[in-house]
Amino acid sequence: MKTLLSRYLPAKEGLLSLILAAVLYYSAGFMGQTLFSLQPSNITLIWLPSGIALIMLLIWGFRALGLIFIGSFLLNIKGMLLQNSVALSVLHTSVAALVDALAPTLSLLLLHRFLPYGARNANDLLKFVVLAGIVPILCSSGLLSWNLVQGHYIAPSAFWDMGQMFFFADILGIVLVYQIYAGWIEVHSLKIERKRHILLPLIGLPLFCIVGVLFDLGWLFYVVPPLLVVLAFEVTRFYLAIFSSLSMLFMILATAQGVGPFINQTQVQTNAEMMAFVLSSALTIFGVSLQRAQLRRSEKDKQTAEKEAQYDPLSGLMNRRAFMPQLAQLTTENAYQGRCSVAMLDLDNFKAINDTYGHRVGDRVIQLLAQIIHNHCRSQDIAARLGGEEFALVLKDIDEAQVFPLLERIRSKLANMSIAAEDRTIYCTVSIGWAERSIGAEGEALLHLADKALYQAKAKGKNCIVKFEAATGLV
């Protein structure tokens, strides 16, 4: 079964990986109940399993539903077990687990329908929050609160407060976990351009938060989001998501322990203020990372387009459009003072090869010659396919005595190379003509002289090399 994102990045779908993900689901829930709860009411401020469940469904599809249900049941049974009615406790716990499994399923279906490639651009952020968060979590938080009221776990008057708690805790879990996953599946997600970009936030952010708690400088928490925005331009989305999520979790943990700038007279006020700040901060960082990724893709697309405009797609060599300006620059005396030679290469009997064996074999011959040219040229040389079976070479900083051996290696390599064509093996040859800049010609004029030498090579029987001589015309 293909996942939501497998169309551009295949996922690992092994059973062992799914089981490990289920263990992570349970561990994250247990950590939330243990560390991120307001006491004495035990209101969990963030529910990471909601995000993990969505990722499990994105990767493994509906096969993950059973493990999500079991994980949720195990997490809830202890707090919902009533000694005087075990059967009803199991029933209401099962309902809660079923809702926890159906909510990410609804998220998956909505994303698949309206956002099939996930959140990839900043414009997708609002749509993602609505589809993966607000719509399914509104439904699940209402059902969970109703289930608690029906089981007499909470009073009917607490329905809205409990629903609000479920809503924000699940939304936070989805945003924090999904942005890590979205960063992880990107190409080169682990790439580190400079170690200081990782080491400074790795040391600085925890120290920043700890100082804020120890010295009661709660205002430092408000500086963390701007620092993360700056970091977005230095690291990949994956590392930014890790640092952002850890920072947000630290703020939630500090609030749960009764410290930080969000503590108010009532738990409801504390919860609301902290949730508003953390959620808005997380969404801001996520949006910045998406915008940054979009800019990087645009720049990459621009570079790709420029490369495609300059290079021949079949041979991989420079095309005529890009070659001619470089030829003019490198053979103009004022721009380049070194010795320079230009060669023209033309495959022999290429039309007959195409007509006899088809364009597929003809394309293969062009690719082989291009590879031979590339392998035998030096880094400063310029090679191009001018069109059809015609190639050109600009040889820089090379003496006349060195030109012929280089061109001969290209000619002999192709002549001795066997090429599979249907049920036969064929051999191809190339004719070469070249001219040296010392004769006084520049740019296209020099290329024209090399072309005249090439015609002479064809007239001499092909599969040979001819140099243009200014005194006699050709040799």
Side-chain angles (χ1 to χ4, degrees):
M1 177 180 180
K2 289 189 175 182
T3 66
L4 177 70
L5 301 171
S6 63
R7 64 188 67 190
Y8 63 90
L9 190 71
K12 299 288 185 181
E13 298 187 357
L15 178 60
L16 179 59
S17 299
L18 176 57
I19 294 174
L20 291 176
V23 172
L24 178 62
Y25 177 95
Y26 177 84
S27 301
F30 181 79
M31 180 181 67
Q33 293 173 338
T34 305
L35 299 178
F36 300 103
S37 297
L38 286 175
Q39 302 301 329
S41 61
N42 198 34
I43 297 177
T44 304
L45 296 175
I46 183 171
W47 193 242
L48 294 174
S50 60
I52 297 174
L54 175 59
I55 303 307
M56 290 172 66
L57 289 173
L58 287 174
I59 298 176
W60 290 279
F62 296 128
R63 289 181 293 168
L65 282 176
L67 290 177
I68 294 172
F69 176 87
I70 295 172
S72 176
F73 183 90
L74 294 176
L75 287 169
N76 288 303
I77 187 62
K78 183 178 179 181
M80 298 181 69
L81 186 61
L82 301 175
Q83 297 298 331
N84 57 345
S85 183
V86 175
L88 284 176
S89 299
V90 172
L91 174 62
H92 288 291
T93 305
S94 299
V95 171
L98 182 62
V99 172
D100 284 341
L102 292 180
T105 302
L106 179 57
S107 298
L108 177 71
L109 295 175
L110 290 173
L111 288 175
H112 182 72
R113 175 65 178 85
F114 299 103
L115 203 62
Y117 292 98
R120 302 186 69 235
N121 304 314
N123 293 337
D124 296 332
L125 181 58
L126 178 59
K127 187 183 292 186
F128 171 81
V129 172
V130 172
L131 297 175
I134 294 177
V135 172
I137 301 305
L138 271 176
C139 298
S140 64
S141 59
L143 289 173
L144 290 173
S145 297
W146 172 83
N147 184 52
L148 293 179
V149 171
Q150 294 301 311
H152 303 290
Y153 295 97
I154 61 173
S157 59
F159 176 88
W160 293 110
D161 288 341
M162 187 61 66
Q164 177 181 293
M165 183 273 293
F166 285 138
F167 178 80
F168 284 109
D170 285 0
I171 290 281
L172 271 174
I174 289 174
V175 171
L176 295 186
V177 174
Y178 182 86
Q179 65 176 333
I180 294 176
Y181 174 70
W184 169 257
I185 63 176
E186 278 199 338
V187 179
H188 306 307
S189 61
L190 299 179
K191 182 180 179 181
I192 302 175
E193 294 184 359
R194 294 190 179 100
K195 291 184 178 179
R196 63 182 177 86
H197 291 164
I198 295 295
L199 293 178
L200 287 178
L202 190 62
I203 298 172
L205 282 174
L207 184 63
F208 204 74
C209 294
I210 291 173
V211 168
V213 171
L214 292 180
F215 295 94
D216 197 22
L217 300 175
W219 59 268
L220 288 178
F221 282 27
Y222 296 100
V223 185
V224 171
L227 293 178
L228 291 170
V229 170
V230 174
L231 188 63
F233 296 89
E234 305 293 341
V235 299
T236 64
R237 287 179 60 193
F238 174 70
Y239 292 119
L240 176 65
I242 292 292
F243 289 128
S244 174
S245 297
L246 289 178
S247 299
M248 299 304 116
L249 289 176
F250 182 88
M251 295 180 191
I252 297 172
L253 178 61
T255 303
Q257 301 303 317
V259 294
F262 310 115
I263 304 302
N264 285 280
Q265 294 181 348
T266 66
Q267 287 187 348
V268 173
Q269 291 177 324
T270 297
N271 189 21
E273 187 172 332
M274 184 278 300
M275 288 285 190
F277 178 79
V278 172
L279 182 57
S280 61
S281 299
L283 289 174
T284 299
I285 304 305
F286 191 19
V288 170
S289 73
L290 290 173
Q291 180 66 22
R292 178 62 174 160
Q294 185 175 351
L295 292 174
R296 286 175 176 171
R297 284 195 298 271
S298 298
E299 181 63 26
K300 185 177 179 180
D301 292 342
K302 180 181 178 181
Q303 293 174 356
T304 300
E306 291 176 351
K307 183 177 180 180
E308 290 177 349
Q310 295 180 352
Y311 288 85
D312 171 56
L314 180 60
S315 65
L317 300 179
M318 193 176 292
N319 59 25
R320 176 185 287 273
R321 178 182 178 184
F323 174 76
M324 298 307 292
Q326 295 213 28
L327 172 67
Q329 180 182 6
L330 289 172
T331 57
T332 299
E333 187 172 358
N334 293 334
Y336 176 68
Q337 299 295 332
R339 303 197 69 174
C340 175
S341 295
V342 175
M344 288 284 293
L345 302 86
D346 191 272
L347 285 163
D348 298 325
N349 306 312
F350 184 72
K351 184 177 184 302
I353 294 174
N354 269 335
D355 292 342
T356 304
Y357 303 105
H359 290 283
R360 184 176 181 181
V361 175
D363 289 348
R364 178 62 179 152
V365 173
I366 288 176
Q367 290 172 336
L368 286 173
L369 178 56
Q371 188 63 50
I372 292 171
I373 293 173
H374 176 77
N375 291 342
H376 287 81
C377 286
R378 304 158 305 158
S379 59
Q380 66 266 40
D381 298 333
I382 302 173
R385 180 189 177 203
L386 300 185
E389 66 271 30
E390 197 173 57
F391 295 79
L393 271 174
V394 174
L395 305 173
K396 292 180 57 180
D397 301 321
I398 188 169
D399 294 330
E400 179 182 353
Q402 298 173 303
V403 175
F404 184 85
L406 187 152
L407 297 177
E408 174 60 21
R409 287 194 294 272
I410 294 174
R411 185 205 65 78
S412 61
K413 181 68 175 180
L414 180 66
N416 295 316
M417 179 174 289
S418 60
I419 303 171
E422 298 178 351
D423 56 348
R424 296 184 55 188
T425 298
I426 64 173
Y427 292 86
C428 297
T429 59
V430 63
S431 299
I432 305 175
W434 68 283
E436 191 176 20
R437 197 188 74 173
S438 59
I439 63 175
E442 307 289 351
E444 290 191 41
L446 188 59
L447 186 68
H448 176 68
L449 296 180
D451 194 41
K452 290 179 66 174
L454 173 63
Y455 277 110
Q456 184 64 19
K458 293 285 188 180
K460 291 178 67 172
K462 304 177 182 179
N463 191 28
C464 62
I465 302 172
V466 171
K467 178 190 176 186
F468 182 87
E469 293 287 355
T472 61
L474 296 168
V475 298

